[in-house]
Amino acid sequence: MPATVIVGLQWGDEGKGKTTDVLAEQTAMVVRYQGGDNAGHTVVLGNEVFKLHLVPSGVLYPHIVSVIGPGVVVNPATLIDELDGLSARGVDVARVRVSRSAHVVMPYHIALDRALEMRLAGEAVGTTHRGIGPAYSDRALRIGLRMEDLLDPQRFRHKLARTLPDKNAGLARTEGMPQFEVDELADKAAEWGRRLRPHMADTTWLVQDALARGEQVLLEGAQGTLLDIDHGSYPYVTSSSPVAGGACTGGGIGPLQVDEVIGVMKAYSTRVGSGPYPTELTDEIGKGIAQRGREVGTTTGRPRRVGWFDAVSLRYAVAVNSVSSIMLNKLDILSGIDEILLCVAYDVDGERVDSWPSSADVLARATPIYERFPGWGEEIHGVRALADLPENARRYVAVLEDLAGVPIVLISVGPERSQTIERAARPLRRGVARPPSTAGVHPA
Ligand code: IMP
């Protein structure tokens, strides 16, 4: 049984939670490998909508062990709230495990995130204000506090007392920012430790043991490739590695243990926060997509920016993640649009550019070069086979697949698990068989 990485191919919010949901039956373990409570996964189960930030969406299935890996930054207060909220709705959270090595997002990280954004003013990243960047920077500086430290109040207090003066000094430089006391934070941390002790584990061995038993492990990425700290449009990115490689470092597996990488993308694009976005739509079509697609940030409630699909970034995302197959989400949202545009290249300073420039400066100068496709009027929520999609929808899917160079194996036509078109068997490694040819539906 494979270790499968689920990775976002766009700017996050591609619907990775639904991919996990569709694969849940055969899955024994779901692992989060990066990010923190900046993420938001929405899972619809029957009439119930669950919005999760830290706990992997596998928690909703009684047979799945949910793991928060060492590469995640954990706000303990959010985690406790989420566990309590799930318990209150009858979900058994006893199988949630959090790595003892994961770093803690402290209240001063959140304040520092806000302070930095205020200082950047017009050039702010538009972060979720969850303290993600400051927590990861403390990790890199080797002054971070880890989950295991919560279990030893003396050690926690000692480490906190070493760093807090610097944090307070940093905060004092921005008007209106709070100051923090060692005693108050240490007391809070001791309480977090008491609550979370039963969930803490050496998760690397949990994952390794599951793989050794031949169980299916899903490594669930948060955010997306274009927000990756190395591969996204820096500096308008998050502070972790959402790409599939991040699943190895942040989840505790080796590259040769990954058998399958499912890239997840929407039939159009969205972005939350600042930064260049060549295919952004600010007209009525964009508003319509945003409204039908309910494109509002799960974590911050901010409206998401909406745009046409960008195949330039798709090719890059397929390459850097070694994507073996694709789940295409929200195809139904495009129903009713007369003409659908698809960006196949950029014009940068008068030159045609086919490759994604991960520099925000270059991206800001990129104008999309579009191909145009006739849309379809029919609602497609009830469609369960590719052949039953309207011809123009099939053509759009075929073109996306052609541009990606890997098969689209799952197509979502509605939020529920059943509203999914499953195609040919998923290839495990990149470059293996493609599904039956859809030749003849490509534009001339
Ligand atoms: P941070 O991760 O809060 O530092 O935010 C950095 C950038 O990533 C901002 O543009 C956020 O809007 C974006 N971002 C962070 N998490 C998500 C997510 O789960 N979905 C979409 N965008 C996100």
Side-chain angles (χ1 to χ4, degrees):
M1 289 293 265
T4 297
V5 179
I6 295 174
V7 61
L9 300 182
Q10 296 163 314
W11 274 288
D13 309 313
E14 299 92 349
K16 296 174 290 290
K18 171 149 180 180
T19 317
T20 308
D21 191 32
V22 169
L23 303 180
E25 223 160 85
Q26 69 254 37
T27 298
M29 184 177 279
V30 178
V31 185
R32 266 286 300 272
Y33 57 84
Q34 44 69 232
D37 62 354
N38 49 349
H41 285 184
T42 306
V43 185
V44 180
L45 271 189
N47 293 332
E48 296 227 57
V49 179
F50 292 86
K51 289 189 190 294
L52 301 171
H53 298 284
L54 271 171
V55 177
S57 43
V59 72
L60 302 175
Y61 307 89
H63 64 284
I64 292 181
V65 176
S66 292
V67 173
I68 296 171
V72 177
V73 287
V74 178
N75 179 333
T78 307
L79 180 56
I80 291 166
D81 273 358
E82 216 161 284
L83 293 172
D84 287 349
L86 285 162
S87 294
R89 292 171 76 179
V91 177
D92 174 18
V93 295
R95 292 155 295 102
V96 174
R97 293 285 172 270
V98 55
S99 168
R100 297 166 67 100
S101 311
H103 278 250
V104 179
V105 178
M106 293 293 293
Y108 51 78
H109 290 136
I110 297 167
L112 285 164
D113 192 355
R114 283 175 35 224
L116 185 57
E117 286 281 277
M118 274 169 70
R119 286 207 298 271
L120 286 171
E123 289 170 59
V125 173
T127 73
T128 59
H129 290 179
R130 298 293 151 129
I132 305 300
Y136 275 118
S137 57
D138 276 2
R139 181 180 82 156
L141 285 169
R142 292 151 298 184
I143 55 168
L145 294 156
R146 308 208 303 179
M147 292 302 284
E148 62 186 358
D149 296 324
L150 298 179
L151 302 178
D152 183 339
Q154 292 282 19
R155 186 171 61 195
F156 189 92
R157 178 179 287 270
H158 168 73
K159 289 187 176 177
L160 180 66
R162 270 186 338 190
T163 56
L164 199 57
D166 277 350
K167 304 296 169 195
N168 279 331
L171 286 167
R173 292 211 304 273
T174 308
E175 215 181 292
M177 285 297 138
Q179 295 283 294
F180 294 91
E181 306 274 347
V182 171
D183 284 344
E184 201 189 329
L185 290 180
D187 288 350
K188 250 189 200 161
E191 177 53 22
W192 291 334
R194 267 192 297 279
R195 285 294 314 275
L196 294 173
R197 182 182 286 275
H199 297 283
M200 286 203 215
D202 180 344
T203 61
T204 300
W205 279 115
L206 279 185
V207 176
Q208 288 294 335
D209 288 345
L211 289 172
R213 285 193 299 273
E215 292 174 351
Q216 162 100 44
V217 174
L218 287 189
L219 295 119
E220 192 181 60
Q223 290 86 44
T225 304
L226 308 182
L227 287 174
D228 185 278
I229 186 143
D230 297 306
H231 300 287
S233 47
Y234 193 89
Y236 298 100
V237 293
T238 191
S239 301
S240 66
S241 301
V243 294
C248 294
T249 52
I253 62 169
L256 297 183
Q257 290 179 302
V258 179
D259 298 284
E260 183 185 21
V261 179
I262 302 181
V264 186
M265 62 192 201
K266 286 192 282 213
Y268 50 93
S269 63
T270 60
R271 174 166 202 173
V272 198
S274 321
Y277 184 3
T279 65
E280 183 166 13
L281 280 168
T282 48
D283 59 6
E284 288 306 309
I285 296 180
K287 283 186 197 135
I289 294 175
Q291 197 180 20
R292 284 194 304 282
R294 300 211 177 101
E295 297 296 353
V296 175
T298 313
T299 301
T300 55
R302 288 182 289 181
R304 294 176 185 147
R305 299 157 73 191
V306 168
W308 294 119
F309 191 92
D310 185 339
V312 181
S313 59
L314 170 66
R315 284 190 292 270
Y316 184 73
V318 167
V320 294
N321 292 298
S322 65
V323 168
S324 52
S325 61
I326 288 177
M327 176 162 190
L328 174 65
N329 278 325
K330 289 195 164 176
L331 185 62
D332 53 303
I333 303 302
L334 295 185
S335 291
I337 298 176
D338 291 339
E339 189 179 47
I340 295 172
L341 274 59
L342 199 158
C343 170
V344 291
Y346 299 143
D347 180 313
V348 181
D349 305 333
E351 291 212 12
R352 185 185 168 104
V353 171
D354 294 298
S355 50
W356 161 261
S358 27
S359 145
D361 289 342
V362 180
L363 206 59
R365 302 203 307 277
T367 313
I369 298 173
Y370 286 119
E371 282 189 10
R372 293 163 184 272
F373 299 88
W376 57 94
E378 304 89 324
E379 282 301 347
I380 57 173
H381 297 299
V383 175
R384 296 293 174 270
L386 190 72
D388 297 334
L389 280 175
E391 189 188 340
N392 288 345
R394 282 207 309 280
R395 175 182 301 157
Y396 186 63
V397 171
V399 170
L400 289 179
E401 184 170 80
D402 203 40
L403 291 165
V406 288
I408 294 176
V409 293
L410 296 162
I411 302 169
S412 170
V413 289
E416 280 173 40
R417 194 191 313 180
S418 63
Q419 292 176 308
T420 308
I421 299 172
E422 286 201 42
R423 296 185 69 199
R426 305 191 316 263
L428 289 192
R429 300 249 180 206
R430 186 165 179 213
V432 197
R434 299 185 52 154
S437 167
T438 32
V441 292
H442 295 247

